[in-house]
Amino acid sequence: MTAAQRGLAGPVSGGGAAARPPAAPLPATPLPADSRLARELLDGLAEAVVTADRAGVVTLVNAMAGELLPDLRPGTDLAGCAVPALAEAVRTDADTFDSEHLGRRLRGTRRRLAGDRCAWYVRDVTEEQARTDALLTERSRTAFLAQAGSRLGLSLHREQTLRATATLPVPYLADAAIVIHHQPAVPQPHWLRYADGESAPVTGVGDEELAGSVPGLAEALDGDGTEPTPWLDAELADLAPLLPAGFGRPGTVLVSPMLSAGGPAGALILIRHRDRVGFDRREIEMAREFAARAGAALAAAELYGEQTHLARVLQQSLLPPELPAVPGVSLAGGYRAAGDSLRIGGDFYEVFRTADGAMFALGDVCGKGVGAAVLTGRVRQSLQTLRLVENRPRELLHLLNRALLDSPDAARRNQFTTLLLGTLTGGPDGGLRIRFAGGGHPAPLVARADGTVSQVTVGGMPIGALAAPRFVEAEVRLAPGDLLLAYTDGVTDARGGPRDMRMFGEERLRRAFASAVGLPPAVVVERLLQLVDEWLDGPGQDDIAMLVIGAAARG
């Protein structure tokens, strides 16, 4: 086969088979000469068609053009026609236009024809634009409510929640927003306002007639859950005290109740200028939903504030007390609560002055947090009372055990405490005599002046767990320079950071305590707590309490 023959045969595929030759083009079909048929085809189109000659004069309009552009007729000059956007496009030689005309949204495109003629194809996109606008509105509404929910949800303080409620709707929903609310134990209504252009919200106190001066406000403050309705053409005198200077006469006012599960939390007033369109149905629904979310957030913030206040009161009553000055005794205590910013937990220590010295107690209540803190308070209060009738450590533990078991909710609570109880008595040699009674608590350590550390064997059973427990008693003497360390198991059980989960352990505590011999008890406590904190490398999982006792130099 010659090259010419191969060219006529066409290219050969990779598989060796000859490709099918291209199909011959279909013969051109002549356009119909029937003008009536052409007219019927044009009139059947769903878009307007307007043709113009080279001078821009209309030569043809189809049926849809007659509906959408009734002012255009054959012979009309497009550059001066009654469709402003189309006329502007012709004058500027633009190929498109998009505008409102006779209440419809029109979008036109020009196509050039032979002989310098042109055709304008115009579509009615009113419904399409309405759907697009509705989608954008819904997206905007969803974004606003999402942002509002996030801001309100992150605010757990009452004042922050009120500020967020006033600032978030401006300028999206209104030109000014006013939150009416009541302060605890204050009869007059308080208000917080934020207006477009203000740098920060402004607060004030209203008079008793404020609720009656704004239609719907009294009902909203009473928790009326009926649908809010806009108040049109509001008189300036009614809201003047609450609006910024120069705001002018309000145009539309919308009042919505701020409801919560616990009752009415306040009312939200949204105000628009007179030159702004009033609230439509969607905006009213959005304002109502926002006010409901704000009311729930405000109620949650108030509840959080009450709980925080109660926790702080509990904290003040449960924090270890300032240790008393005891002649011949040097004392220092340390405390850490497990991962609790309010510093309330189940470990505690106490020191009481007695006629011949002092009594100390160091305990660890079962559990953590508020529940353990409540039992801690009960144990401490019981010790405060029982020591007035009994000062022997072991006998006092038996009385405390009976008091905890006799409490009304003892069986339900199923809680107990370990306790180390001791008395401090000075000796003629300047040392200290310490008598212990142990109730299931870790044995204390004694560091002698020569650096040796030993353990005082004190066992016993936890207090509040059994009706007839066994408690152990022991005695130790401290010479000048010796130290005693009583601690809770939060010290030895402290685990390292994520890379090292080993416990701090008793042996490490012994070495640290031995290295502190010769230091004042306050310095020893600070040093030991610092070592434990460094070992934890973060919040601890258990409470920590420790007490260091030594013989003070006599003056």
Side-chain angles (χ1 to χ4, degrees):
M1 182 181 293
T2 65
Q5 290 172 330
R6 288 195 300 269
L8 291 173
V12 179
S13 65
R20 179 178 298 175
L26 296 174
T29 303
L31 294 175
D34 188 346
S35 61
R36 287 184 301 175
L37 175 60
R39 185 70 197 193
E40 289 177 359
L41 291 174
L42 285 174
D43 289 342
L45 296 177
E47 61 183 352
V49 178
V50 178
T51 62
D53 59 18
R54 65 177 60 189
V57 177
V58 175
T59 58
L60 179 145
V61 293
N62 70 345
M64 182 56 67
E67 293 182 15
L68 298 181
L69 307 168
D71 296 321
L72 296 186
R73 295 181 178 84
T76 302
D77 183 3
L78 288 180
C81 70
V83 184
L86 175 58
E88 179 66 19
V90 171
R91 289 193 297 268
T92 59
D93 199 28
D95 289 328
T96 61
F97 74 89
D98 190 338
S99 71
E100 296 261 351
H101 183 66
L102 299 179
R104 309 297 294 176
R105 186 79 182 184
L106 304 182
R107 188 170 297 159
T109 302
R110 181 176 64 175
R111 181 176 180 182
R112 299 187 182 277
L113 305 176
D116 290 338
R117 294 173 298 171
C118 69
W120 282 95
Y121 299 89
V122 182
R123 291 192 303 119
D124 183 355
V125 295
T126 305
E127 285 72 21
E128 178 184 334
Q129 188 67 38
R131 289 191 296 269
T132 301
D133 291 344
L135 177 60
L136 293 176
T137 300
E138 188 61 29
R139 286 180 178 176
S140 176
R141 176 180 181 271
T142 302
F144 170 75
L145 291 176
Q147 180 190 13
S150 177
R151 284 274 303 276
L152 292 171
L154 292 175
S155 177
L156 287 178
H157 297 282
R158 190 175 192 275
E159 297 305 319
Q160 292 180 355
T161 304
L162 289 171
R163 290 171 65 91
T165 303
T167 56
L168 281 171
V170 179
Y172 182 76
L173 279 176
D175 299 305
I178 302 173
V179 180
I180 309 294
H181 61 99
H182 287 282
Q183 294 283 9
V186 179
Q188 294 87 359
H190 285 60
W191 55 266
L192 185 141
R193 180 203 72 224
Y194 181 72
D196 193 15
E198 288 186 313
S199 59
V202 179
T203 61
V205 180
D207 54 32
E208 297 180 356
E209 299 179 355
L210 174 61
S213 64
V214 180
L217 180 56
E219 292 79 2
L221 291 174
D222 289 338
D224 188 352
T226 57
E227 185 175 343
T229 55
W231 176 29
L232 301 175
D233 200 20
E235 291 293 338
L236 178 61
D238 296 319
L239 290 172
L242 309 184
L243 293 174
F247 187 87
R249 183 175 178 178
T252 309
V253 177
L254 182 66
V255 180
S256 301
M258 295 168 54
L259 302 176
S260 68
L268 174 65
I269 304 177
L270 300 179
I271 308 166
R272 289 185 174 181
H273 286 299
R274 297 190 66 186
D275 56 355
R276 184 171 177 177
V277 178
F279 297 94
D280 60 24
R281 175 54 51 187
R282 284 181 173 271
E283 291 170 332
I284 293 175
E285 293 175 355
M286 196 185 326
R288 181 183 180 87
E289 184 171 350
F290 172 76
R293 294 190 183 191
L298 185 59
E302 290 175 345
L303 178 60
Y304 175 80
E306 293 175 2
Q307 292 177 338
T308 302
H309 173 71
L310 291 176
R312 285 174 180 165
V313 172
L314 183 62
Q315 170 191 351
Q316 294 301 319
S317 66
L318 294 176
L319 283 178
E322 184 178 351
L323 298 180
V326 181
V329 181
S330 179
L331 295 165
Y335 177 76
R336 292 283 192 277
D340 192 347
S341 61
L342 290 175
R343 302 185 64 232
I344 55 178
D347 291 11
F348 66 95
Y349 60 81
E350 290 275 6
V351 177
F352 312 108
R353 288 282 301 270
T354 61
D356 55 353
M359 175 182 289
F360 73 89
L362 185 136
D364 183 359
V365 167
C366 171
K368 301 181 184 68
V370 175
V374 171
L375 183 57
T376 299
R378 180 173 298 174
V379 172
R380 291 171 65 180
Q381 291 298 323
S382 298
L383 281 174
Q384 288 271 12
T385 304
L386 294 174
R387 74 180 182 87
L388 299 178
V389 297
E390 180 59 72
N391 56 16
R392 292 172 297 176
R394 184 164 56 183
E395 285 71 13
L396 185 52
L397 288 185
H398 280 288
L399 290 176
L400 179 61
N401 185 76
R402 187 184 309 167
L404 293 181
L405 289 177
D406 288 346
S407 60
D409 58 344
R412 178 179 58 82
R413 286 188 292 104
N414 193 26
Q415 287 183 313
F416 57 87
T417 180
T418 64
L419 189 66
L420 185 67
L421 193 63
T423 58
L424 307 174
T425 307
D429 58 353
L432 288 176
R433 175 173 174 258
I434 306 177
R435 291 181 62 193
F436 294 105
H441 200 78
L445 300 177
V446 174
R448 302 298 179 181
D450 60 2
T452 60
V453 177
S454 61
Q455 189 180 72
V456 181
T457 303
V458 180
M461 297 179 178
I463 300 168
L466 300 172
R470 181 180 63 87
F471 300 127
V472 179
E473 197 169 58
E475 184 175 313
V476 69
R477 292 181 180 272
L478 297 183
D482 296 344
L483 293 174
L484 180 138
L485 170 65
Y487 61 93
T488 60
D489 59 8
V491 176
T492 52
D493 292 351
R495 295 186 180 273
R499 297 183 180 180
D500 188 355
M501 292 301 292
R502 293 177 300 164
M503 293 191 298
F504 190 79
E506 185 179 324
E507 186 58 35
R508 188 173 282 101
L509 178 61
R510 282 172 173 261
R511 293 196 301 267
F513 189 37
S515 67
V517 171
L519 299 175
V523 178
V524 176
V525 168
E526 183 178 353
R527 183 171 181 176
L528 293 178
L529 286 177
Q530 181 180 358
L531 289 174
V532 174
D533 289 342
E534 292 174 354
W535 182 260
L536 287 170
D537 191 27
Q541 299 301 312
D542 199 1
D543 304 324
I544 292 174
M546 63 177 63
L547 195 62
V548 176
I549 303 172
R554 295 183 180 273

